[in-house]
Amino acid sequence: QKEVEQDPGPLSVPEGAIVSLNCTYSNSAFQYFMWYRQYSRKGPELLMYTYSSGNKEDGRFTAQVDKSSKYISLFIRDSQPSDSATYLCAMSGLTDSWGKLQFGAGTQVVVTP
Amino acid sequence: DAMVIQNPRYQVTQFGKPVTLSCSQTLNHNVMYWYQQKSSQAPKLLFHYYDKDFNNEADTPDNFQSRRPNTSFCFLDIRSPGLGDAAMYLCATSRVSGSRNTEAFFGQGTRLTVV
C-alpha cells in the first residue's frame, strides 16, 4: 500500500463547476499538507499549504484536512479552462528531521469550455 | 520573480556522456531536494541536502551524484546517462527549523533527453 493515494483521473468538468480533489494517506505522523498544480512540462506550483487539521481558503481554492480520517481535499470554485492541469497532493511529518515530501500520483483535471 | 531557478530548461545528452544540471535559490532555504519525474508519474525523491548534510534515498542509482557548494546552489550530476534516465528533473527547497517545516517550492524543471 502506498503512503499517499490519489486518483489519477482524468477528471473532466464543465467550466464554472466545482472541482473536487482528494488524497488519503496512511502515515499518522504527517502534519504538513500541500497541493501543487503542474502544467504539462512545467514544475509543480504551490497552491495551498496547511498545517494539521482544518480548512484554508485562498481565492477560488479551499483546502481541507481531516487528520482523524487521514483525508485531505482541494476544492476549486468557478473552474476555468486555465485550471486544466495535474494536481498533486504532498505531505510531510514532524518526525522527519528535514521534511521529506510524500507525493500522491496526481489527478489530471480537464475543464471544458 | 523566480525563487528556484533551474538551468537549463532542456538538456539533450548522448548515451553515457556525463551531464550536470543546476539549481539556484533566492529563498535562503536550508533544505534542497532533487526529484526525478517521469511522464504521468509523481516526483520521485533522489536525494536532499539539509544544510551541508547529504542524504541519499536508498533506491537512488549510483549513477546520480549531487553537490551543494553553498546555500544557494545545488547540482545534479549524472555520470553515465542511460535511456532510462530521460525524465524531468525537479529541484525544490524548503526551510526546516526545529520541528517546523515550511512549504516546498519547486523550480521549473530540466527536461533531460538521452540520445
Side-chain angles (χ1 to χ4, degrees):
Chain A
Q1 183 189 5
K2 295 179 182 177
E3 274 196 295
V4 181
E5 297 279 358
Q6 184 177 9
D7 187 332
L11 177 63
S12 184
V13 299
E15 183 175 357
I18 295 175
V19 176
S20 176
L21 303 166
N22 59 77
C23 289
T24 59
Y25 62 95
S26 57
N27 188 344
S28 58
F30 288 144
Q31 295 281 344
Y32 301 96
F33 304 93
M34 284 148 273
W35 284 97
Y36 290 88
R37 177 174 63 195
Q38 188 174 26
Y39 292 114
S40 180
R41 298 178 177 269
K42 296 287 181 67
E45 173 193 5
L46 180 69
L47 289 176
M48 300 290 279
Y49 168 71
T50 53
Y51 168 63
S52 196
S53 285
N55 295 355
K56 184 174 182 178
E57 189 173 318
D58 184 0
R60 296 186 296 117
F61 299 94
T62 299
Q64 292 183 347
V65 175
D66 182 349
K67 290 193 67 186
S68 62
S69 302
K70 297 189 179 66
Y71 186 91
I72 68 170
S73 302
L74 178 71
F75 300 97
I76 308 174
R77 292 182 297 280
D78 188 23
S79 58
Q80 306 294 312
S82 59
D83 294 325
S84 298
T86 296
Y87 291 79
L88 294 156
C89 65
M91 48 197 78
S92 65
L94 276 173
T95 54
D96 293 329
S97 63
W98 54 274
K100 175 179 177 177
L101 291 176
Q102 292 288 351
F103 279 91
T107 299
Q108 183 185 1
V109 172
V110 178
V111 180
T112 55
Chain B
D1 292 338
M3 298 177 287
V4 183
I5 301 166
Q6 292 188 243
N7 284 301
R9 290 291 311 280
Y10 302 93
Q11 175 73 57
V12 179
T13 191
Q14 291 180 338
F15 183 95
K17 184 175 181 180
V19 65
T20 294
L21 311 181
S22 74
C23 177
S24 64
Q25 55 131 338
T26 59
L27 298 163
N28 200 34
H29 282 172
N30 54 357
V31 184
M32 294 187 77
Y33 314 77
W34 279 105
Y35 286 86
Q36 178 193 65
Q37 187 179 30
K38 296 191 175 180
S39 182
S40 302
Q41 295 182 20
K44 177 181 179 297
L45 183 65
L46 295 173
F47 25 59
H48 76 278
Y49 277 93
Y50 184 10
D51 291 324
K52 295 183 179 180
D53 294 333
F54 176 73
N55 296 271
N56 206 27
E57 290 300 294
D59 58 353
T60 298
D62 292 340
N63 200 24
F64 292 85
Q65 304 286 323
S66 184
R67 296 168 284 137
R68 188 180 186 187
N70 54 54
T71 300
S72 301
F73 286 88
C74 197
F75 300 96
L76 169 61
D77 301 308
I78 308 177
R79 292 192 295 186
S80 182
L83 297 178
D85 296 327
M88 173 80 92
Y89 290 87
L90 297 165
C91 174
T93 73
S94 71
R95 169 159 290 282
V96 174
S97 177
S99 60
R100 182 86 175 128
N101 182 29
T102 68
E103 58 270 56
F105 293 95
F106 282 80
Q108 285 299 306
T110 294
R111 179 162 293 277
L112 179 68
T113 301
V114 181
V115 298

